[in-house]
Amino acid sequence: MDDATWSLIRENLWPMLRATVEMTLPLTAISFGIGLAIAVFMALARMSKLWPVQAAARFYISIIRGTPLLLQLFIIFYGLPNLGVVFDPFPAAVIAFSLNVGGYGAEIVRAAILSVAEGQWEASYAVGMSHAQALRLIILPQASRIAVPPLSNTLISLVKDTSLASTITVTELLRTAQDAAAPTFDFFWLYTVAAAYYWVICLILGFGQTRLETRLARHVAR
């Protein structure tokens, strides 16, 4: 590596870090938060005894899981303007990523709820709780512990998937690396630095996942 390449890397360490903090991380956090809310709603809809509600949830999940995330992003940003619906790049990315997380997360949440012992429902009803109270106070807290590992994997995948937002001009980490490398065509090293940033974020999230699992495990009856 020559001095010019070292200089290019040093000059862009801060801009890439700033793009990570100002764009990549907020995009991840907002999309995951909204997506998780969608996931819980869709999981409950999938478990509904009302056929139309269940069918609608199945259709949504099928569409999300059966189409590429990049295509979903393009439809929202490039396709919807043909119907008169226009979003700025960042909100478009949030919408696409949130819907995607909701589709995949719904099955994770549903499986976690179904894995809670049936006796927990029966015990809740026995002490006079309604179905909604049992779900909110007893079932979902237990299901959340079960859902932590797969949902954490979804979050880690989302961090990396935010790089797709560069295709709709969101100036996140990858886009910043691309713009910095374009004048000199020295893509290898700047892409390697970008990869290191993603890797560090995922390592931190993985550590947080382990700590959260350990903390939740303390409240499990032995």
Side-chain angles (χ1 to χ4, degrees):
M1 186 188 305
D2 56 27
D3 291 341
T5 301
W6 272 115
S7 177
L8 180 66
I9 292 174
R10 287 194 300 269
E11 289 173 1
N12 287 283
L13 285 175
W14 168 244
M16 291 171 68
L17 178 61
R18 186 172 61 187
T20 301
V21 173
E22 294 181 355
M23 281 292 182
T24 297
L25 294 181
L27 182 56
T28 300
I30 295 170
S31 299
F32 187 76
I34 297 173
L36 188 58
I38 295 173
V40 173
F41 178 81
M42 286 297 168
L44 297 177
R46 276 275 280 114
M47 301 171 66
S48 173
K49 295 181 180 179
L50 298 176
W51 181 84
V53 174
Q54 186 181 129
R58 283 179 178 272
F59 178 75
Y60 166 76
I61 294 170
S62 176
I63 289 293
I64 294 298
R65 296 175 69 184
T67 57
L69 173 55
L70 183 60
L71 181 58
Q72 296 164 17
L73 192 63
F74 281 2
I75 288 174
I76 291 172
F77 186 70
Y78 295 115
L80 289 182
N82 293 331
L83 303 178
V85 181
V86 180
F87 294 104
D88 289 334
F90 189 86
V94 168
I95 293 170
F97 294 142
S98 298
L99 292 175
N100 191 267
V101 169
Y104 281 93
E107 291 298 271
I108 294 173
V109 174
R110 185 176 72 90
I113 292 174
L114 291 175
S115 67
V116 177
E118 186 66 28
Q120 296 295 313
W121 288 101
E122 296 171 357
S124 302
Y125 298 148
V127 297
M129 288 187 180
S130 66
H131 181 82
Q133 288 175 323
L135 182 66
R136 180 169 58 89
L137 299 175
I138 304 298
I139 305 303
L140 283 180
Q142 295 184 57
S144 64
R145 178 180 61 84
I146 299 168
V148 163
L151 285 178
S152 297
N153 288 336
T154 300
L155 176 58
I156 290 172
S157 294
L158 178 60
V159 171
K160 295 175 288 185
D161 287 342
T162 57
S163 61
L164 296 176
S166 64
T167 61
I168 60 169
T169 72
V170 176
T171 312
E172 42 67 70
L173 174 56
L174 179 59
R175 180 77 181 207
T176 303
Q178 289 174 326
D179 291 345
T184 62
F185 295 96
D186 202 348
F187 291 99
F188 177 80
W189 291 111
L190 287 177
Y191 282 173
T192 300
V193 173
Y197 277 120
Y198 284 116
W199 181 46
V200 169
I201 295 170
C202 292
L203 284 177
I204 294 171
L205 290 176
F207 176 75
Q209 173 189 342
T210 302
R211 292 293 300 273
L212 181 58
E213 288 178 5
T214 302
R215 183 173 181 178
L216 291 174
R218 295 173 183 169
H219 303 285
V220 179
R222 301 291 181 180

